[in-house]
Amino acid sequence: MLRIAAIQMQAQPGQRESNIQTCVKMVEKAVLRGAELVVLPELWISGYYLTKEEFKVFAETPTGNTVTFFQNLAKKLGIVMVVPFVEGEQDQLYISLAVIESTGEVISTYRKSFLWGREKEIFTPGEKAYDVISTSKGKLGLLICADIEFPEPSRILVLKGAELLIVPSVWSYGAETRWDIQLPARALDNTVFVLGVNTVNEGSCGKSKLVSPFGEVLSEAPRDQAYILIHDINFDSIIDARAQIPYLKDLDEKLKPSSVLVKK
């Protein structure tokens, strides 16, 4: 069993230190409740509706202050963390995340590959390359917000062996129906766990949720308030789901990426 936590928080626009303080308090509460894997939402540190110049103030490398701070926190608390951050490289901005082991080591970073709406005027999309990250708490597939709206990245990650798809997001009220459909759809299509971690306020619909490999919503946060969603995962459920719903087994070989094998 693995106890995971989604930190559904309200980001104060432009208020880095205040957002970090709020985040740390929520993470510590999650750990007191037994969380071993803790995930933060997209752009939690900055808020969403900033200008490009305002986002540049938050831009860091994966070795910058924000990721380093959470490396120390993850090591102190003995947890695996997924920490989104605003990444800057030369004159480019990316919506990125870092996967931090319980040792404090950054074992992978990922850049959002599908940008949505106004993001295209501010950020650069990351490479459309999807790799499974092996951690002490399971094999993770990392996507960010709009990445989950396309079925292909999820399928690629699962065919490469992902047990849990993690989706930090800023998902709007206007797209709430898609949030409610697409997360369970990706879970069921691929018989895999999906954890969507959303923000609240700034027009976000909240409802962070954990979905089972059967497409069942196991736990869901409120629509309009900060919340620590905690739930246990049993990865054996994936075996059960694939025995009952053999989508991956029956998938035509011609439809599988040539470099990917189905995890039995």
Side-chain angles (χ1 to χ4, degrees):
M1 298 292 287
L2 170 66
R3 181 159 293 182
I4 64 172
I7 304 300
Q8 177 172 291
M9 63 176 281
Q10 175 179 330
Q12 300 297 329
Q15 302 300 310
R16 181 182 189 275
E17 296 306 319
S18 174
N19 290 330
I20 288 176
Q21 290 175 16
T22 297
C23 178
V24 170
K25 289 177 183 178
M26 296 181 76
V27 170
E28 290 176 339
K29 288 180 180 178
V31 172
L32 286 174
R33 295 170 59 187
E36 304 165 81
L37 169 62
V38 179
V39 183
L40 310 184
E42 179 187 21
L43 296 176
W44 64 274
I45 194 168
S46 60
Y48 186 77
Y49 290 102
L50 303 183
T51 65
K52 186 169 185 176
E53 292 305 312
E54 289 171 327
F55 273 119
K56 285 181 179 179
V57 175
F58 289 86
E60 301 181 32
T61 69
T63 58
N65 292 337
T66 299
V67 175
T68 299
F69 177 89
F70 282 96
Q71 285 181 262
N72 294 331
L73 184 65
K75 183 176 181 179
K76 174 185 173 182
L77 298 176
I79 58 173
V80 173
M81 295 195 70
V82 177
V83 180
F85 65 102
V86 180
E87 184 179 0
E89 184 177 76
Q90 297 178 355
D91 60 343
Q92 304 297 312
L93 294 178
Y94 300 89
I95 300 175
S96 299
L97 59 77
V99 181
I100 304 173
E101 251 298 350
S102 56
T103 59
E105 177 189 2
V106 174
I107 56 176
S108 184
T109 59
Y110 170 74
R111 293 170 171 173
K112 184 175 184 177
S113 61
F114 287 94
L115 301 178
W116 183 265
R118 68 187 297 273
E119 296 168 9
K120 297 175 184 179
E121 302 171 5
I122 299 171
F123 298 99
T124 298
E127 183 181 357
K128 291 178 173 61
Y130 308 102
D131 295 314
V132 174
I133 309 305
S134 294
T135 75
S136 60
K137 305 304 178 184
K139 296 181 178 180
L140 310 181
L142 287 307
L143 298 171
I144 300 176
C145 203
D147 294 339
I148 198 72
E149 301 211 62
F150 298 84
E152 292 82 4
S154 297
R155 176 58 54 84
I156 289 168
L157 285 166
V158 171
L159 291 176
K160 288 183 175 182
E163 299 169 305
L164 170 63
L165 301 182
I166 291 176
V167 194
S169 301
V170 177
W171 206 284
S172 71
Y173 283 122
E176 183 176 356
T177 299
R178 302 206 305 272
W179 179 253
D180 291 337
I181 291 172
Q182 288 171 336
L183 269 65
R186 301 294 167 260
L188 180 59
D189 287 348
N190 297 293
T191 47
V192 70
F193 285 100
V194 174
L195 179 66
V197 187
N198 200 12
T199 56
V200 289
N201 202 14
E202 287 198 298
S204 296
C205 67
K207 299 170 74 173
S208 297
K209 64 188 74 183
L210 174 67
V211 188
S212 82
F214 292 93
E216 173 191 6
V217 176
L218 298 174
S219 184
E220 183 173 275
R223 191 170 186 258
D224 56 0
Q225 68 186 65
Y227 189 82
I228 303 170
L229 184 151
I230 292 184
H231 203 278
D232 292 337
I233 283 180
N234 184 346
F235 287 124
D236 286 345
S237 296
I238 295 175
I239 299 172
D240 296 338
R242 292 178 184 176
Q244 297 180 47
I245 311 170
Y247 292 152
L248 298 183
K249 180 181 178 182
D250 292 348
L251 184 64
D252 191 308
E253 291 292 334
K254 294 178 180 179
L255 299 179
K256 296 176 186 176
S258 59
S259 61
V260 169
L261 297 176
V262 176
K263 181 183 178 184
K264 303 298 184 183

